[in-house]
Amino acid sequence: MLPILVAPARDNAGMTAAPATPAARAAELRAQLNHHAHLYYVLDAPELPDAEYDKLFQELQALEAAHPELLTADSPTQRVGGAVLDGLLPVRHVVPMLSITTETDTTEGGAIAFDARVRRELGLGEADPPVEYAAELKFDGLAMSLRYEQGVLVQAATRGDGETGEDVTQNVRTIGQIPLRLQGDAPAVLEVRGEVYMRRDDFEKLNERQRERGEKTFVNPRNTAAGAIRQLDPALVRQRPLCFYAYGLGEVQGWELPATHAGLLDALAAFGIPVNGDRAVVQGPAGLVVFHRAMAAKRDALPFDIDGVVYKVNSRELQARLGFKTREPRWAVAHKYPAQEQVTTLLAIDIQVGRTGKLTPVARLDPVFVGGTTVSNATLHNVFEMRRKGVRVGDKVIVRRAGDVIPEVVGRQPGVRAAYVPNFHMPRACPVCDSKVVREKGGIEYRCTGGVFCPAQRKQALLHFAGRRAMDIEGLGDKLVEQLVDAGIVQSLPGLYKLGVAKLAALERMAEKSAQNLVDALEKSKTPTLARFLFSLGIRQVGETTAKDLARHFGTLDKLMNASVEQLLEVPDVGPIVAASIHTFFAQPHNREVVEQLLAAGVAPKESAGEADDRPRPLLGKTLVLTGTLPTLSRDEAQALIEEAGGKVSGSVSKKTSYVIAGEEAGSKLEKARALGVEVLDEAGLRGLLGG
Ligand code: IVH
């Protein structure tokens, strides 16, 4: 504990002494609320419970209501949004909002060509040292200019035609990440330029909600963000979670600018403005190529869409020497990656039957290269969504593949059509087993009633069982499962363990060696953790996390199988729907039989000792974050070890993070850990924590 050298004035209750005037109190509340908003939205490291924040907020609201003259533009109460507008007003940009040249060559040659141009324009010869560049991501959102006067956000404007944009101040205020007041010594005027975007997970959640409500889904995060920011009703904007990253400046008064672009971004971050951590200062074309490659590898793992990277000459002095073409700086270039959306033809629609019998329409497409692979199938989600989008077989459609989300048809290529007459209907009988298809009243899901009788459901159940996060049976992929089920060799999960080398080797396209490998993999899979075993059974509503919670709580399979609904409800995070689903599953004799046969075949889940556990749990109560590549442990292995030791693994660094475990090529999480003073360890350090 650090000694307190200078204690603030405190009254008897240990509270900071109340300011003398309402004006002083309002100022104090605003400062506190802005500080906590920054911790919460930008650093993702809240220090104050939500309820405490709300209390301060309400106090400020009451104060401002009683003294309207105290209301200021930077008051957090102004985030809530104002009146519905009739239209957006024009804003003239004092410094035009330019665009950048796009390098058409998406290979690494694009980076080399840019450097060659820069060197030529600067008159550099072969003997001259490499040019230093600031490399950053090209965010796929919409450009925004934020104007701060005396540190207070006074205006936000879209790019428009570059000369004149639209005033969207009200809407931008609802973005929690954007500070209403800058931290530290703010310049008289500071226009921050950057990109408003929507995270992919927020976008997926939004669309999931739209689907549940039977409303129109959005095409992609960029369009959704752009549409939201131009809404006339700020209350609607608030329902669209938007984010912001700064990448440059507009008008500035009263500030001596840093000498480099990288220094400028650091300075903006110090003002409390969100700046992305995946940026680097690199030397010459070789450095650009390394950055281009590293970000291409990382693209799918980023939480938001990028359409490329941007290279900027780092020195502002060199930037000034290079100057501008008509509308674009000569010192910057956008180097794109292959697109994540493409137009192709919808050739036909098949029905896929899932593990739980759910029927999903799947688009068969004219193969198209999108998001780094050739896509010939994409989900259409459900027939109602198809109707809302007006999609018909034979149409030109837009296919999207971004991140690890499965490819999907997001809509028709824009164009007019007289009237929409669907040419696809959901079947009344399962296309695989001919069982009756049912739809819950008012629901959107069609389901095959065949259960384990349906080969499609059986195949999916086997694939799920063998999955990497379930029993992890290497070599048991969809082709093989297809063969095994179609040939009637495997009818249910326990049947897998009766497979012998001879039987497998007799299958088409199966070499003796692969047959032996699969038998070995099956043998190796026989001692899963209880959590993995539970997950692999494919009980509805039981995902990986719930399986872990159940294993931890009950400790043994036996206890779980015989638990009552009440007992199941005692498990943290298990609600009535999940409890009922688990109970129903184990109440069915054929499910119990499957479990018993698996055990009889030699599958022996490693039972957790449950609540009466007395194994050492050195990481109990600790939260760890993994980043980068560790020398010997995969991400999953590291996570399993941490969880076995009682710890939790989180995806983002906050003040509450106990340790960050960093490997090769650790990125922004490492930077954040350092900024927040969180202890950083390598793999050896992690092993130390685990007890050797
Ligand atoms: S710099 C004077 N940097 O891409 C240079 N732009 O035409 C101004 N964009 O619509 C742009 N990420 O909104 C720059 N890191 C980045 C960017 C970026 C995305 C957008 C920008 C503009 C377009 C460039």
Side-chain angles (χ1 to χ4, degrees), residues 25 89 102 182 188 202 225 245 254 267 423 432 484-485 509 672:
R25 179 61 184 158
L89 296 173
T102 299
L182 299 179
D202 284 333
Y245 276 132
N423 59 2
V432 177
L484 291 171
V485 173
R509 287 191 304 274
K672 195 151 155 197

Side-chain angles (χ1 to χ4, degrees), residues 31 34-39 42-43 148 150-152 179-187 190 267-273:
N34 282 333
H35 169 69
H36 288 293
H38 179 71
L39 288 174
V42 182
L43 298 180
Y148 289 88
Q150 313 300 339
V152 176
L180 299 178
R181 169 182 282 278
L182 299 179
Q183 295 173 359
D185 250 344
L190 181 71
L268 292 181
F271 283 137
I273 291 171

Side-chain angles (χ1 to χ4, degrees), residues 97-102 136-144 159 194-195 246-248 261 307 310 312 324 328-329 331-332 334:
M97 288 182 80
L98 303 177
S99 57
I100 27 182
T101 317
T102 299
E136 56 201 51
L137 300 177
K138 186 169 189 307
F139 312 105
D140 198 8
L142 76 150
M144 187 62 60
R159 178 168 182 272
E195 200 88 346
Y247 55 65
H261 181 73
D307 54 352
V310 177
K312 296 171 183 172
F324 295 83
E328 295 152 357
W331 43 264

Side-chain angles (χ1 to χ4, degrees), residues 367-407:
V368 60
F369 192 74
V370 51
T373 51
T374 300
V375 170
S376 42
N377 305 314
T379 181
L380 285 157
H381 295 290
N382 65 61
V383 68
F384 303 100
E385 195 166 324
M386 278 180 61
R387 302 264 154 90
R388 277 194 301 278
K389 290 174 178 160
V391 171
R392 274 169 57 101
V393 175
D395 279 352
K396 289 266 182 223
V397 292
I398 303 164
V399 184
R400 174 177 157 90
R401 181 189 171 274
D404 48 17
V405 180
I406 51 172

Side-chain angles (χ1 to χ4, degrees), residues 86-101:
D86 292 330
L88 302 175
L89 296 173
V91 174
R92 192 147 179 90
H93 299 299
V94 177
V95 175
M97 288 182 80
L98 303 177
S99 57
I100 27 182
T101 317

